[in-house]
Amino acid sequence: MNKRYFTFFLLMNVIILHVYSVNTFKIDSIVVKHAPWHLETPANVTCRDFENEISYEEYHISDSAVISDIVKEFYSLKESHAKTLDVRCKLYLYSQGVVLMSACMDPYHILYDGVLYNLPPSLKNKIDRMHKNSTPKISMKKDLSSERGFPFPNGRDSLFSYLSSELNGITRMIEKTVSLTVNCQIDSHGNTIKVVVRNNDHNNCDNVKKLVTKLKEIFVNDIKWIPDKERFPFEVVNIPLKFIADD
C-alpha cells in the first residue's frame, strides 16, 4: 500500500468515525412502531402510510447504550436492489424532541435516508427482543379517516391550475370531452421517473394525441413534486383529468 493511498484510507476512516460519533451523540431517543412482520394486508404498506394503514404497537427507547447499539447498525448497511417494500416496522430517531431521521422495515429490507438496504438479521433481532421484553407505551389502530397529502406544492388545485395554463392552447381545440388518468412514478427527490397516460374514453383523434404527448412532457420536464425520503421505490401518483369541450 503506497503512502498516498494509506493516508486517504486513514482520513476516510477518521471521517466515518467522526460522523458516527456525532450522530450517536445527537440521538437521545428512538420511537419504534411495530406490527407483526408477516401480517397479511391487501396491498403493500408504504413507509409514508404505515401509521394509517396498519395497527401497531409503539415503544420508546431512551437507554443510551441501546440507542448506540441500534445506530451502529446503520453504518454497516448494504444496499439492496429490491423493487418492493412492505413496511411492518418504523423507527423515528430523535434529538431533543426533533426527528432527525426515520427508517422503515419489512422482514428483509430497510429504507433509510432515502436508500433501500438489506435488513441485517442482527438489527431485526434487536427489534424482536425489544418487542418481546417491553411493554408497549401505546397500542395504535389504523386511522381510516386520515387522508394522505397530495405530494405537490400547495396541493392538487395548484397542480390543476398549472396544467390548465400550460395546456390552454391544446385544450381549446378539443371537440369532444376527454377523460384521462395520468399515472406518475416519482422518486424521493420529487422527480417524475415515468408517466403513463390512460385514455379513458379511447378518443384517439389528433388533438387528443397532442394533449397526451404534451402532458407527458410537462410531467417529466417541468413538474417538481415534494421531496420525501420515505418514498420508495417509486411512488405512483394518480391524477384524473377531464377536459370539457366548448359547446
Side-chain angles (χ1 to χ4, degrees):
M1 182 185 295
N2 60 49
K3 185 176 180 180
R4 180 178 296 178
Y5 180 82
F6 177 79
T7 302
F8 175 78
F9 179 81
L10 183 61
L11 179 61
M12 288 303 296
N13 275 275
V14 169
I15 292 172
I16 291 170
L17 288 171
H18 174 70
V19 170
Y20 168 68
S21 62
V22 168
N23 280 279
T24 303
F25 177 75
K26 285 182 178 179
I27 297 170
D28 52 37
S29 63
I30 298 177
V31 172
V32 181
K33 299 184 178 183
H34 191 277
W37 289 113
H38 297 289
L39 179 70
E40 293 188 7
T41 55
N44 286 354
V45 178
T46 67
C47 190
R48 290 209 308 148
D49 287 344
F50 173 74
E51 284 96 333
N52 295 327
E53 292 192 3
I54 198 168
S55 299
Y56 61 88
E57 293 181 334
E58 183 174 312
Y59 304 85
H60 295 188
I61 304 169
S62 57
D63 186 311
S64 59
V66 176
I67 291 173
S68 178
D69 198 25
I70 291 175
V71 171
K72 187 177 180 180
E73 293 278 359
F74 289 96
Y75 290 90
S76 60
L77 297 174
K78 295 182 179 179
E79 192 168 344
S80 171
H81 299 289
K83 300 298 182 182
T84 61
L85 180 71
D86 192 8
V87 179
R88 293 296 180 270
C89 182
K90 190 169 184 177
L91 305 186
Y92 289 95
L93 284 65
Y94 281 82
S95 175
Q96 299 180 352
V98 178
V99 177
L100 293 183
M101 199 74 67
S102 66
C104 292
M105 309 173 197
D106 66 15
Y108 312 104
H109 313 101
I110 174 170
L111 178 65
Y112 173 65
D113 199 25
V115 179
L116 189 74
Y117 299 94
N118 295 317
L119 177 62
S122 55
L123 178 55
K124 183 174 181 290
N125 290 338
K126 288 180 176 68
I127 293 172
D128 287 340
R129 283 198 299 271
M130 285 188 294
H131 178 70
K132 181 179 179 180
N133 299 327
S134 303
T135 301
K137 292 186 178 298
I138 304 174
S139 182
M140 302 291 294
K141 292 188 176 181
K142 60 184 178 181
D143 181 6
L144 296 176
S145 64
S146 177
E147 183 178 355
R148 173 176 162 182
F150 190 71
F152 189 78
N154 299 316
R156 194 182 295 268
D157 289 344
S158 177
L159 174 62
F160 288 165
S161 177
Y162 178 77
L163 291 175
S164 178
S165 64
E166 293 296 308
L167 296 169
N168 186 50
I170 298 177
T171 55
R172 283 187 294 130
M173 301 170 62
I174 298 296
E175 299 176 351
K176 185 178 179 181
T177 297
V178 178
S179 174
L180 304 174
T181 301
V182 181
N183 296 321
C184 288
Q185 286 188 348
I186 59 179
D187 66 15
S188 61
H189 302 289
N191 302 310
T192 303
I193 303 302
K194 181 180 179 181
V195 182
V196 176
V197 180
R198 188 171 69 245
N199 186 339
N200 301 318
D201 298 323
H202 304 291
N203 183 346
N204 293 315
C205 70
D206 288 342
N207 287 332
V208 173
K209 291 179 179 178
K210 290 179 182 178
L211 176 60
V212 169
T213 299
K214 184 63 176 177
L215 275 169
K216 291 180 178 179
E217 291 176 356
I218 290 173
F219 278 103
V220 171
N221 299 323
D222 302 334
I223 296 298
K224 184 69 174 181
W225 305 92
I226 298 173
D228 188 346
K229 289 185 177 181
E230 292 187 353
R231 183 182 292 130
F232 173 85
F234 299 113
E235 178 178 305
V236 177
V237 179
N238 300 310
I239 307 105
L241 300 171
K242 180 170 283 190
F243 302 93
I244 301 175
D246 294 332
D247 295 332

